[in-house]
Amino acid sequence: MFEHIDAYPGDPILSLNEDFAKDPRADKVNLSIGIYYDDEGRLPVMRAVRDAEAQLLAEPAAKPYLPMAGFAAYRDAVQSLVFGDDSPARIEGRIATVQTLGGSGALKVGADFIKRYFPASHVWVSDPTWDNHRFIFERAGFTVGTYPYYDEASGGLKFDAMLSAIRDLPAKSVVLLHACCHNPTGVDLNDAQWAMLIDAIKARDLLPFIDMAYQGFGAGLDADAFAIRELVRRNVPALIANSFSKNFSLYGERCGALSVICESAEIAARVLGQLTSAVRANYSNPPTHGARIVARVLTTPALRQSWQEELASMCTRIARMRSAIHARLSGNVPDAMLARYVEQRGMFTYTGLSAAQVDVLRERHGVYLIRSGRMCVAALNERNVDATARAIGEVLSKAIA
Ligand code: LMR
């Protein structure tokens, strides 16, 4: 029966993370997957999460199915965090939000929804993008193309080429964009560039699908949502996937949401119904635990304050690690490859190392990066930064010699 099933070659990120777990070397360093680790190399349980969880455990509650669209208080808290409390679209009831299984679940529910109602549209992603973007949309039946994004020579953005490619797309094309802390490059648009891009999206009647997996890791919780709020302000219909995996350190709880900005409350009600039907067809309804934690934290002022402070301190630690590796690599890597460690934002730096160099780093030095050269700087700490910099210096000196 299953003789014809071919082997899964594995996922470029998750399979590598599994390989890391099996690696017996004590001094191995995992800079592959996008996970924030603290100074001790531990996955933190945030104080606000711990406190909310303790409160919830003290209030024994039955565990019925959640509604297909998810926990109401969570969906409301998502809207307030992503769009802002005073968002006109939110006040007018023009946003349809469903709770999803992390950001990936939001992308999948959104992909199914778009495929049903825009069957002729193609999806366009940045070159490069998170590997799973292409996979999710292709599996949902889309043809996926790329628009120019990253400039390896400068370690920055090819904005003019990006804009002109987007201006050439057919109407109703779906354009996948990263709200902040672009994965894998760490290179974002500035506010003026977003404004120009949104002009083009509106003029061409394109459908933006914004992925916001790192809210709070760039310029701050509100500033990171600039593009989303600008879309609302300019009355541009859009889909937004957001995730609490990183900013709540709740990876395994699968807490995310999909929101669709609609033209009217009446349309939003119908869109919500169809998002709900996509949830039912995939997994019926989402899980309870993580959503209750997030809703409790976001709606309890003291917990929310504590969460925001801890998130800010995580960002400060990442910035410190960016400076630390920058200082240690200075003089050992070409100047063109150095500035990006401090200039790129969020959890990642796109190092410019080749797949072959990444293989040597992993095999010889036990330092794991994604084969695209993406490094998770949020997993650097005082104990592994020297060894990491030494290993990179050595790999590059061999390449140069
Ligand atoms: C990553 O990019 O490393 C994370 O978002 C984890 C994942 O699922 O790929």
Side-chain angles (χ1 to χ4, degrees):
M1 185 66 79
F2 300 124
E3 194 50 43
H4 62 294
I5 307 298
D6 47 358
Y8 175 42
D11 177 81
I13 300 174
L14 299 185
S15 301
L16 191 64
N17 195 47
E18 288 165 16
D19 291 347
F20 176 83
K22 288 184 216 139
D23 188 328
R25 288 173 284 187
D27 57 353
K28 62 186 177 176
V29 180
N30 190 5
L31 308 176
S32 61
I33 193 163
I35 292 184
Y36 175 93
Y37 290 98
D38 67 14
D39 258 334
E40 312 301 320
R42 287 178 311 222
L43 187 62
V45 182
M46 296 179 81
R47 284 187 305 274
V49 167
R50 228 183 358 239
D51 292 349
E53 208 159 30
Q55 289 181 12
L56 294 169
L57 281 176
E59 301 162 9
K63 297 188 187 292
Y65 290 125
L66 281 183
M68 293 176 283
F71 182 39
Y74 173 88
R75 293 166 51 220
D76 190 56
V78 164
Q79 285 197 358
S80 123
L81 190 69
V82 170
F83 296 92
D85 271 330
D86 52 359
S87 166
R90 176 167 147 72
I91 293 163
E92 291 155 20
R94 288 196 288 113
I95 305 172
T97 299
V98 291
Q99 179 186 337
T100 58
L101 304 187
S104 300
L107 291 162
K108 172 70 168 100
V109 169
D112 286 354
F113 167 72
I114 300 170
K115 187 68 200 166
R116 192 171 159 96
Y117 291 97
F118 301 85
S121 292
H122 291 189
V123 173
W124 298 86
V125 299
S126 58
D127 177 22
T129 192
W130 182 47
D131 293 290
N132 212 24
H133 280 149
R134 175 178 285 279
F135 197 39
I136 287 173
F137 284 98
E138 283 181 346
R139 278 287 172 96
F142 286 100
T143 300
V144 178
T146 58
Y147 56 81
Y149 192 82
Y150 183 67
D151 181 13
E152 175 51 42
S154 67
L157 185 65
K158 279 183 187 164
F159 182 67
D160 292 344
M162 174 188 186
L163 192 59
S164 99
I166 283 175
R167 282 188 178 137
D168 279 346
L169 294 180
K172 306 283 191 288
S173 293
V174 179
V175 186
L176 197 288
L177 296 156
H178 303 227
C180 60
C181 309
H182 183 270
N183 179 5
T185 67
V187 172
D188 289 336
L189 278 70
N190 62 34
D191 292 357
Q193 290 168 329
W194 274 119
M196 277 191 268
L197 186 71
I198 290 170
D199 280 342
I201 285 172
K202 198 166 174 168
R204 297 292 305 158
D205 197 21
L206 307 176
L207 180 55
F209 196 147
I210 313 279
D211 188 358
M212 181 158 66
Y214 297 90
Q215 188 179 8
F217 282 96
L221 287 166
D222 288 320
D224 287 350
F226 173 82
I228 294 163
R229 299 183 187 182
E230 194 61 12
L231 287 164
V232 169
R233 200 179 67 77
R234 307 280 306 278
N235 283 323
V236 182
L239 283 80
I240 291 101
N242 80 290
S243 163
F244 296 110
S245 294
K246 330 277 177 177
N247 57 15
F248 268 76
S249 193
L250 276 178
Y251 304 86
E253 297 290 357
R254 311 312 294 134
C255 290
L258 174 68
S259 298
V260 183
I261 308 168
C262 304
E263 288 105 325
S264 70
E266 187 265 320
I267 296 174
R270 277 184 281 132
V271 168
L272 181 63
Q274 289 303 334
L275 299 180
T276 303
S277 89
V279 167
R280 178 61 164 158
N282 275 301
Y283 50 84
S284 284
N285 36 48
T288 317
H289 188 68
R292 289 181 77 207
I293 294 172
V294 171
R296 179 63 60 104
V297 170
L298 292 181
T299 58
T300 310
L303 293 180
R304 185 168 176 143
Q305 172 81 14
S306 151
W307 169 66
Q308 287 186 201
E309 283 168 10
E310 193 166 354
L311 181 57
S313 77
M314 287 156 72
C315 295
T316 307
R317 202 196 75 77
I318 296 174
R320 206 167 59 239
M321 286 302 121
R322 284 188 175 280
S323 303
I325 190 145
H326 180 269
R328 284 160 179 81
L329 286 175
S330 169
N332 294 325
V333 307
D335 283 351
M337 290 172 81
L338 192 60
R340 59 187 65 184
Y341 285 93
V342 284
E343 283 170 2
Q344 297 175 349
R345 300 199 309 173
M347 284 199 181
F348 304 118
T349 286
Y350 217 44
T351 61
L353 294 168
S354 68
Q357 289 168 334
V358 168
D359 288 345
V360 176
L361 266 182
R362 184 182 66 254
E363 285 160 15
R364 206 167 301 159
H365 302 277
V367 176
Y368 283 62
L369 269 61
I370 304 298
R371 295 190 81 235
S372 63
R374 187 192 83 172
M375 174 193 287
C376 179
V377 287
L380 285 171
N381 59 47
E382 297 294 347
R383 287 181 301 186
N384 64 24
V385 67
D386 285 326
T388 300
R390 244 191 337 267
I392 292 175
E394 210 178 299
V395 167
L396 283 172
S397 71
K398 296 240 163 55
I400 294 161

